[in-house]
């Protein structure tokens, strides 16, 4: 058994835990040995050779700073990279394949970015050896006999040129000052400017300053700039964040086309439908957040996603999640005992140059209604009309309802998480706070949180308020697959437990499919007009929406998850002919 000890230094707070609680409790220390000691940085330090793995210190550290991990023997015990003693360890690495799009699937905080940085040559792997300088020859030797060896040999010969789209596109404005056109011209090593600008719908933002464009525009600019570079290895870290479904499908097609016999592509993505659509094979990454990560052998995309949902890697004999994630073949069409919440007659509203209309409709209690539509098409304005915040030009809302709203873009301030979640913690610890794994964040300020942590805090704060209708705008943004499904479950539980209603705007189709029992579809032209229709039952709503997208979905026979049909495949043509874009 290989055992490693990882201490999250930023969580370790010896003065607040009662003066090195772990040192006082460790049975090996109590025998007089120095298993846990005070490190040079005054934080706890564990001698991995002396630790017996009794499990006391990780359980008792009040800040969850310690991880004691027993790794499977097959990993050989040597990481490809470790961030110092008692630091995060990464085992193995994904392998780029020329001519294919290879995906990486796994939760946040288990080393996906580390793996990409190693492949990109940004991070020199140390193979767990902190004392000696390692070079490319050591890396080649480390991977001897595997596909990775061939890839690193090509790197050594200077045959690999990488172009990399980082995860956080919001940091681009701090790195580049100037207009969109300047950034794209600077990146255009292949002289494909006009073609790319048209493909990515960027004509209207070319003259905008980079710090003035929206998240979705920034994402498309970053992907476009990455593709314009002359390279033979392209890496896209979370390319679908901030994009609506239409844009996601478009980007996925463009990324697929990039893989040729001379070019390798790697994609990290949490939108499972898009990952499924754009990749040929996948590596699953598992491990423990901020402690260690392991990269599985590659598998076909379909097999890998089904394995991921099952939570069990057969070949490796590793269970990385206790429960299986299941999708229902069909969503329930009606819920028993649903009472009327609010209804509206035909609505018209003009907002500057934008006009919004809605066909008459109604919402019942105890429902989760997904809202599908492009960005900038009036989804939020419609809900504000229901809440009475915006008055209609024409049309009536039947009752006054209280709405709790989580916006799409979240603002972080200097207050602490517990100040925001005080009510949630007091009233809904078991229903909301605990399942969203928020306890360990209580003392942090909102400005210190990652995008995913801030998202979970905002969802919890929204759901804890007293309201009749909850509007959650893009709750899946910045969350990994597990967190998305957990958020989905929490929303469903809150709605059922408190007999209220939620409207969920999101662009992750699998998430919407998982969470919704009905759908509202908003069609039209972004920034010009929006037409709200529904709520529909799932099949009807999806058919209407997918018809507009020109894609068809089938259900995977094994996991029942939705998958996009290959364009012009027999199934795609059959379903389109029958007008059955969703269920077959
Ligand atoms: Fe205290 Fe935990 Fe740090 Fe040990 S690891 S010193 S228990 S805060
Ligand atoms: Fe000591 Fe290891 Fe037990 Fe922690 S897990 S208390 S370090 S023996």
């Amino acid at each position: 058994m290989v055992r490693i000890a990882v201490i999250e230094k930023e969580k370790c707070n010896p003065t607040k835990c009662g003066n090195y609680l772990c040192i006082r409790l460790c049975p090996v220390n109590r025998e007089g040995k120095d298993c846990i000691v005070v490190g040079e940085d005054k934080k706890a330090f564990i001698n991995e050779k002396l630790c017996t793995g009794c499990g006391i210190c990780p359980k008792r550290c009040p800040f969850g700073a310690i991880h004691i991990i027993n790794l499977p023997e097959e990993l050989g015990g040597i990481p490809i990279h470790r961030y110092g003693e008692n630091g995060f360890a990464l085992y193995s690495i994904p392998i780029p394949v020329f001519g294919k799009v290879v995906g990486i699937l796994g939760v946040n905080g288990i080393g996906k970015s580390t793996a990409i940085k190693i492949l990109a040559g940004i991070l020199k792997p140390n193979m767990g050896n902190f004392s000696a300088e390692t070079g490319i020859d050591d890396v080649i030797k480390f991977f001897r006999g595997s596909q990775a060896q061939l890839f690193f040999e090509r790197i050594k010969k200077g045959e690999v040129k990488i172009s990399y789209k980082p995860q956080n596109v919001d940091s681009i404005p701090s790195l580049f000052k100037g207009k969109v056109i300047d950034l794209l011209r600077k990146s255009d090593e292949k002289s494909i400017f006009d073609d790319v600008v048209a493909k990515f719908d960027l004509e209207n933002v070319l003259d905008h300053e980079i710090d003035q464009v929206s998240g979705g525009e920034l994402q498309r600019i970053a992907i476009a700039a990455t593709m314009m570079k002359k390279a033979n290895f392209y890496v896209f870290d979370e390319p679908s964040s901030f994009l609506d479904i239409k844009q996601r499908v478009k980007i996925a097609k463009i990324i697929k086309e990039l893989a040729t016999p001379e070019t390798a592509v790697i994609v990290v993505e949490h939108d499972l439908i898009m990952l499924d659509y754009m990749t040929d094979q996948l590596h699953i990454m598992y491990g423990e957040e901020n402690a260690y990560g392991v990269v599985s052998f590659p598998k076909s995309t379909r097999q890998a996603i089904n394995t991921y949902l099952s939570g069990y890697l057969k070949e490796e004999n590793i269970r990385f999640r206790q429960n299986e994630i299941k999708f229902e073949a069909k969503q329930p069409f009606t819920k028993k005992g649903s009472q009327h919440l609010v209804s509206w007659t035909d609505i018209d509203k003009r907002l500057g140059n934008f006009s919004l209309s809605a066909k008459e409709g109604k919402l019942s209690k105890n429902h989760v209604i997904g809202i599908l539509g492009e960005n900038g098409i009036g989804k939020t304005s419609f809900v504000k009309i229901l809440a009475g915040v915006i008055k209609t030009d024409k049309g009536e809302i039947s009752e006054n309802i209280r709405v709790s709203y989580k916006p799409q873009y979240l603002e972080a301030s200097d207050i602490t998480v517990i100040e925001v979640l005080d009510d949630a913690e007091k009233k809904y610890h078991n229903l909301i706070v605990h399942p969203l794994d928020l306890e360990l964040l209580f003392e942090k300020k909102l400005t210190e949180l990652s995008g995913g942590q801030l998202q979970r805090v905002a969802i919890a704060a929204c759901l804890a308020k007293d309201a009749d209708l909850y509007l959650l705008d893009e709750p899946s943004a910045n969350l990994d697959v597990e967190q998305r499904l957990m958020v989905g479950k929490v929303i469903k539980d809150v709605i059922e437990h408190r007999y209220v209603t939620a409207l969920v705007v999101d662009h992750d189709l699998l998430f919407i499919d998982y969470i919704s029992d009905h759908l509202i579809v908003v069609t039209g032209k972004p920034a010009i007009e929006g037409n709200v229709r529904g709520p529909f039952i799932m099949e009807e709503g999806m058919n209407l929406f997918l018809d507009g997208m020109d894609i068809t979905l089938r259900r995977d026979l094994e996991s029942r998850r939705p998958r996009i049909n290959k364009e012009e495949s027999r199934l795609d043509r059959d379903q389109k002919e029958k007008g059955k874009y969703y269920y077959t």
Side-chain angles (χ1 to χ4, degrees):
M1 181 74 73
V2 183
R3 181 175 303 118
I4 62 166
V6 175
I7 297 185
E8 293 185 62
K9 300 282 182 184
E10 63 285 1
K11 285 188 183 168
C12 171
N13 194 337
T15 41
K16 281 203 178 163
C17 75
N19 199 16
Y20 299 98
L21 180 66
C22 51
I23 294 182
R24 288 186 280 119
L25 291 173
C26 174
V28 183
N29 278 55
R30 292 172 88 121
E31 281 170 14
K33 294 180 200 150
D34 286 337
C35 179
I36 312 183
V37 294
V38 179
E40 280 171 14
D41 54 3
K42 302 282 179 258
K43 309 270 176 163
F45 178 86
I46 296 178
N47 183 332
E48 289 173 353
K49 292 201 179 81
L50 292 178
C51 169
T52 60
C54 74
I56 292 175
C57 64
K59 270 199 206 107
R60 296 291 301 276
C61 170
F63 306 112
I66 306 178
H67 306 261
I68 304 290
I69 300 138
N70 293 321
L71 293 162
E73 209 65 61
E74 302 82 72
L75 290 175
I78 304 175
I80 167 88
H81 189 73
R82 193 157 187 201
Y83 290 96
E85 286 177 285
N86 284 182
F88 179 90
L90 174 69
Y91 292 85
S92 194
I93 200 139
I95 320 290
V97 180
F98 287 84
K100 287 192 171 159
V101 181
V102 175
I104 304 176
L105 170 58
V107 298
N108 285 335
I110 53 163
K112 293 191 296 293
S113 299
T114 301
I116 283 176
K117 280 184 192 149
I118 292 171
L119 290 171
I122 299 167
L123 178 71
K124 220 190 253 178
N126 58 19
M127 277 80 77
N129 185 350
F130 316 117
S131 51
E133 262 284 294
T134 52
I136 188 80
D137 286 325
D138 300 298
V139 181
I140 292 170
K141 205 163 131 201
F142 183 82
F143 283 115
R144 201 164 34 207
S146 72
Q147 284 290 323
Q149 179 193 351
L150 303 177
F151 183 77
F152 284 104
E153 276 171 353
R154 288 189 73 165
I155 290 189
K156 187 186 173 188
K157 286 186 209 150
E159 290 174 3
V160 179
K161 179 147 191 299
I162 183 165
S163 181
Y164 169 49
K165 196 231 38 108
Q167 179 186 7
N168 293 328
V169 290
D170 10 6
S171 63
I172 296 174
S174 61
L175 301 170
F176 182 92
K177 302 276 171 236
K179 293 196 157 92
V180 173
I181 189 165
D182 303 328
L183 190 148
L184 292 178
R185 286 269 183 229
K186 198 169 157 237
S187 311
D188 189 20
E189 296 172 357
K190 297 188 199 162
S191 302
I192 51 172
F193 181 87
D194 292 340
D195 184 37
V196 166
V197 167
K199 256 188 184 165
F200 284 82
D201 294 327
L202 293 171
E203 295 92 341
N204 295 336
V205 293
L206 283 177
D207 284 326
H208 293 190
E209 294 292 328
I210 280 287
D211 58 4
Q212 297 299 314
V213 299
S214 71
E217 286 159 349
L218 211 47
Q219 184 68 269
R220 282 181 285 141
I221 292 162
I223 298 171
T226 307
M227 286 182 53
M228 290 165 123
K229 297 262 174 70
K230 262 191 198 153
N232 60 351
F233 176 33
Y234 291 90
V235 178
F236 298 95
D237 199 347
E238 299 191 25
S240 75
S241 316
F242 305 116
L243 301 183
D244 63 36
I245 297 170
K246 202 170 185 178
Q247 292 162 342
R248 286 179 192 206
V249 172
K250 205 167 179 181
I251 297 295
K253 282 182 184 164
I254 296 172
I255 290 178
K256 263 157 94 94
E257 285 166 10
L258 209 54
T260 66
E262 292 77 40
T263 313
V265 181
I266 280 201
V267 179
V268 178
E269 181 55 63
H270 296 300
D271 180 329
L272 281 187
I273 290 196
M274 289 305 142
L275 190 68
D276 184 36
Y277 184 55
M278 71 178 127
T279 58
D280 302 298
Q281 60 186 50
L282 282 182
H283 290 274
I284 292 173
M285 281 190 73
Y286 60 93
E288 219 173 289
E289 197 183 337
N290 300 330
Y292 79 105
V294 182
V295 184
S296 79
F297 297 119
K299 294 179 195 308
S300 75
T301 296
R302 175 178 176 268
Q303 196 195 357
I305 294 181
N306 286 351
T307 300
Y308 186 79
L309 294 173
S310 79
Y312 176 61
L313 280 162
K314 215 176 190 176
E315 288 84 355
E316 287 94 341
N317 189 21
I318 300 280
R319 173 155 295 286
F320 54 90
R321 190 188 322 104
Q322 283 317 311
N323 58 313
E324 193 179 338
I325 294 166
K326 285 190 183 140
F327 288 82
E328 287 167 35
K330 287 195 179 188
Q331 303 285 342
F333 290 157
T334 49
K335 277 185 178 172
K336 278 185 199 146
S338 297
Q339 287 171 7
H340 174 86
L341 173 68
V342 66
S343 59
W344 57 94
T345 58
D346 284 1
I347 288 172
D348 281 330
K349 175 71 190 173
R350 202 155 180 88
L351 295 151
N353 291 330
F354 179 75
S355 63
L356 182 72
S357 67
K359 281 251 163 272
E360 66 168 336
K362 63 173 190 237
L363 299 179
S364 302
K365 290 181 186 170
N366 190 19
H367 277 287
V368 180
I369 297 122
I371 305 190
L372 291 173
E374 292 177 58
N375 282 335
I377 209 156
K379 299 184 295 279
T380 310
S381 303
F382 171 66
V383 180
K384 284 189 177 160
I385 287 174
L386 290 188
V389 177
I390 299 178
K391 298 276 167 253
T392 61
D393 297 336
K394 187 196 124 188
E396 304 283 327
I397 312 298
S398 67
E399 3 261 314
N400 288 330
I401 49 168
R402 296 164 307 159
V403 175
S404 174
Y405 172 51
K406 184 206 78 69
Q408 180 183 14
Y409 295 107
L410 308 170
E411 272 180 38
S413 62
D414 237 9
I415 53 173
T416 59
V417 171
I418 191 61
E419 287 176 76
V420 180
L421 295 185
D422 191 31
D423 237 23
E425 172 62 1
K426 280 185 195 139
K427 289 200 232 155
Y428 305 113
H429 174 84
N430 289 337
L431 191 64
I432 301 174
V433 175
H434 181 65
L436 292 179
D437 200 13
L438 295 168
E439 295 98 323
L440 287 174
L441 302 178
F442 280 173
E443 300 303 321
K444 285 197 171 187
K445 288 181 178 164
L446 296 185
T447 42
E448 293 166 351
L449 301 181
S450 69
Q453 290 170 337
L454 189 61
Q455 183 69 270
R456 284 183 285 138
V457 171
I459 292 168
C462 170
L463 290 175
K465 286 198 183 121
D466 267 340
D468 310 297
L469 180 66
Y470 294 82
L471 169 66
L472 296 122
D473 202 346
E474 289 202 41
S476 81
N478 292 320
L479 300 184
D480 64 37
V481 183
E482 301 281 328
Q483 291 165 339
R484 286 176 194 208
L485 295 166
M486 183 44 75
V487 160
K489 188 174 177 313
V490 168
I491 295 172
K492 287 206 246 190
D493 288 350
V494 167
I495 294 320
E496 201 167 317
H497 181 83
R498 291 172 45 204
Y499 208 66
V500 287
T501 301
L503 291 176
V504 180
V505 176
D506 211 277
H507 299 301
D508 180 335
L509 263 185
L510 188 125
F511 178 71
I512 284 285
D513 189 63
Y514 176 72
I515 195 176
S516 318
D517 39 58
H518 286 76
L519 282 180
I520 285 178
V521 180
V522 191
T523 53
K525 287 199 186 83
I528 297 170
E529 60 162 36
N531 308 302
V532 180
R533 292 158 75 183
F536 299 105
I537 57 170
M538 288 300 285
E539 182 177 3
E540 206 180 329
M542 276 287 192
N543 275 332
L544 180 69
F545 177 72
L546 296 173
D547 184 13
M549 294 287 118
D550 201 31
I551 53 174
T552 55
L553 288 184
R554 69 185 183 285
R555 285 203 179 269
D556 183 74
L557 292 177
E558 196 183 318
S559 63
R560 316 302 306 163
R561 69 189 158 91
R563 306 184 71 193
I564 297 182
N565 289 322
K566 206 167 157 218
E567 213 175 343
E568 284 303 305
S569 64
R570 187 184 51 77
L571 220 50
D572 185 53
R573 278 185 280 121
D574 270 11
Q575 284 183 229
K576 279 179 184 165
E577 254 167 46
K578 289 179 192 148
K580 294 230 164 214
Y581 287 75
Y582 184 48
Y583 296 135
T584 52

